[in-house]
Amino acid sequence: MDSMYITPEHEQLREQISRFIAREVEPHAQAWEDAGFTPREVLRKMGAAGLFGLMYGAQHGGAEADALTNLVFAEALSQSTFAGFIITVLVHTDMASPHLHHTGTAAQKARYMPGVIAGHTITAVGISEPGAGSDVAGMRTKAVKDGDHWVLNGTKLFITNGVHGDLFFIAAKTGMNLANERHAMSMFIVEKGTPGFSVGRSLDKTGWLSSDTAELVFDNCRIPAENLLGEENQGFYSVMKNFQTERIALGAMAIGHCMQALRLTLDHVKTRQAFGAPLFDKQVIRQRIAMLDAKVRAARAYMYQCAWRVTQQHDVVQDVSLLKALTGELVNEVVHTCQQFHGGMGYMRGMPIERLWRDARILAIGGGATEVMLDEAAKRY
């Protein structure tokens, strides 16, 4: 991609990740799909390669890179055809551990961040609940102060890395008597194995099969007071702030899927013979592919502009909301069409295009449904 945003260092990072995926992911990940999770060994290899701390402090092993570099990482990672692997990584790097980076105390970071960056401590974030998804303020999980501890009670749902994760950042209501009770929540650090904290069940999904997804249950779970993450009753605003990082990452995932689907489909239609000629000779086929490519290129340019605006410390809520809505819908249009052009083979398990088709569906739902994103953008006109 010739772009004013891309540097030679970005290209080196992209090539490093491409080599890693070709060597460590694509030949093995079908077994991960069958197992239902990405092995921790491959995650530790990514940590050892310096890929889990791009935006974090050098004192903990990070690279102190900017949002554009992080976008290059997410987009390059999304060239894998196994989205369960991708989301396992991106939840750790872009959706969970940033809460520790942004609001953790020096002591909390010193304790946990080295393991997070090295890939020894895999993180998850608990926000969604059975009755509260995009409506974050509708959550019911509560935390009550009891001496030098907090006591958590409630349930979280659809938590990626929830089964095999090591460190959890959990949102809970804490200001039950405040005027802004609906938005008065706090974030907490909860370690795996804490009494009263358990995996209620492992969830069986349509796509993202190589990621583990769980229901988390907190039953009088007592955690030390020093595990409060950030300021008391300010967790809602921490969650909202981190949504921008998360949604750019999900946009990158969508664009990566689009690019990979178009590559696979171009290879297919140029070699697949039908009615005495390659499918690519059919005008309708090549024109529809060209139009999809135009849409993807435009969305990709918008995505890089959003990341650049983050580096300039601009307010990006409206732009990122639009980006999330646009890319979540676009990836479904692209993979649907590309699967159609593969014919019957596109419906067979084990075919990359079939996997992309299944995996793409969630990108218009997770991390902020399209309708919610459009409303968030519209409120800012």
Side-chain angles (χ1 to χ4, degrees):
M1 177 184 183
D2 293 326
S3 167
M4 64 181 181
Y5 301 121
I6 300 299
T7 68
E9 290 75 20
H10 290 152
E11 292 296 352
Q12 290 173 9
L13 176 61
R14 195 189 305 277
E15 290 168 8
Q16 178 188 5
I17 296 168
S18 179
R19 290 192 301 269
F20 185 92
I21 289 171
R23 182 180 68 250
E24 302 289 350
V25 179
E26 297 298 301
H28 313 292
Q30 184 57 56
W32 309 347
E33 296 267 296
D34 299 336
F37 68 100
T38 296
R40 278 5 190 191
E41 178 187 1
V42 73
L43 301 180
R44 288 193 292 270
K45 287 181 179 179
M46 293 191 73
L51 298 174
F52 280 175
L54 292 179
M55 296 183 72
Y56 298 155
Q59 71 272 32
H60 301 125
E64 300 188 355
D66 62 12
L68 275 169
T69 303
N70 200 56
L71 172 56
V72 170
F73 166 75
E75 188 186 45
L77 190 74
S78 299
Q79 297 305 303
S80 171
T81 63
F82 291 91
F85 156 74
I86 301 166
I87 197 61
T88 295
V89 173
L90 290 182
V91 163
H92 177 66
T93 58
D94 286 55
M95 302 174 200
S97 61
H99 285 282
L100 177 63
H101 171 65
H102 290 309
T103 61
T105 64
Q108 288 169 340
K109 291 180 183 179
R111 179 174 180 179
Y112 295 114
M113 194 60 84
V116 168
I117 292 173
H120 296 296
T121 303
I122 300 303
T123 59
V125 58
I127 297 171
S128 297
E129 297 184 1
S134 295
D135 179 14
V136 173
M139 72 172 59
R140 295 185 178 181
T141 297
K142 294 181 180 180
V144 177
K145 192 76 175 290
D146 182 22
D148 59 355
H149 282 74
W150 287 90
V151 181
L152 272 65
N153 281 284
T155 302
K156 298 295 181 180
L157 197 62
F158 311 131
I159 308 305
T160 300
N161 296 345
V163 179
H164 297 281
D166 305 297
L167 191 66
F168 298 78
F169 305 112
I170 304 299
K173 289 289 185 70
T174 48
M176 279 67 80
N177 298 317
L178 297 178
N180 66 333
E181 175 183 339
R182 179 170 162 79
H183 292 96
M185 62 185 67
S186 304
M187 296 293 294
F188 297 92
I189 302 171
V190 184
E191 298 181 14
K192 187 175 188 177
T194 301
F197 168 40
S198 63
V199 174
R201 56 195 164 117
S202 177
L203 303 175
D204 191 15
K205 310 183 295 297
T206 295
W208 285 3
L209 298 185
S210 45
S211 75
D212 55 292
T213 308
E215 173 191 55
L216 306 180
V217 178
F218 299 89
D219 182 9
N220 290 320
C221 175
R222 294 178 64 84
I223 62 170
E226 60 264 26
N227 281 27
L228 174 69
L229 185 60
E231 295 183 42
E232 185 177 340
N233 296 323
Q234 297 299 306
F236 178 83
Y237 307 101
S238 173
V239 170
M240 291 299 107
K241 178 180 178 181
N242 197 63
F243 270 156
Q244 310 320 310
T245 301
E246 175 175 335
R247 288 165 181 164
I248 290 176
L250 290 170
M253 196 171 181
I255 293 299
H257 284 353
C258 288
M259 295 169 65
Q260 189 63 267
L262 287 171
R263 276 196 215 87
L264 291 168
T265 304
L266 276 169
D267 288 344
H268 177 75
V269 299
K270 287 182 176 181
T271 57
R272 175 73 166 91
Q273 296 286 317
F275 306 103
L279 280 175
F280 191 72
D281 284 2
K282 306 298 181 185
Q283 187 180 59
V284 67
I285 298 286
R286 62 179 183 260
Q287 287 191 357
R288 287 183 70 186
I289 289 175
M291 178 55 77
L292 291 176
D293 188 25
K295 292 180 179 181
V296 172
R297 293 186 192 205
R300 191 180 183 211
Y302 184 34
M303 178 176 70
Y304 270 87
Q305 184 196 32
C306 286
W308 175 81
R309 284 172 56 79
V310 171
T311 68
Q312 303 303 302
Q313 299 183 332
H314 293 164
D315 181 351
V316 296
V317 174
Q318 185 181 59
D319 273 324
V320 171
S321 298
L322 290 171
L323 175 72
K324 174 62 172 62
L326 173 67
T327 55
E329 295 298 316
L330 177 60
V331 68
N332 278 279
E333 178 187 2
V334 170
V335 298
H336 175 87
T337 304
C338 288
Q339 184 196 41
Q340 178 75 13
F341 290 169
H342 277 75
M345 290 304 295
Y347 201 61
M348 296 296 105
R349 283 291 176 105
M351 292 293 290
I353 193 64
E354 184 271 342
R355 189 164 55 248
L356 287 169
W357 170 68
R358 278 186 288 111
D359 289 343
R361 184 64 189 93
I362 189 62
L363 290 172
I365 301 171
T370 296
E371 295 77 11
V372 175
M373 294 295 88
L374 292 174
D375 215 38
E376 283 298 312
K379 290 175 185 176
R380 290 167 171 78
Y381 287 131

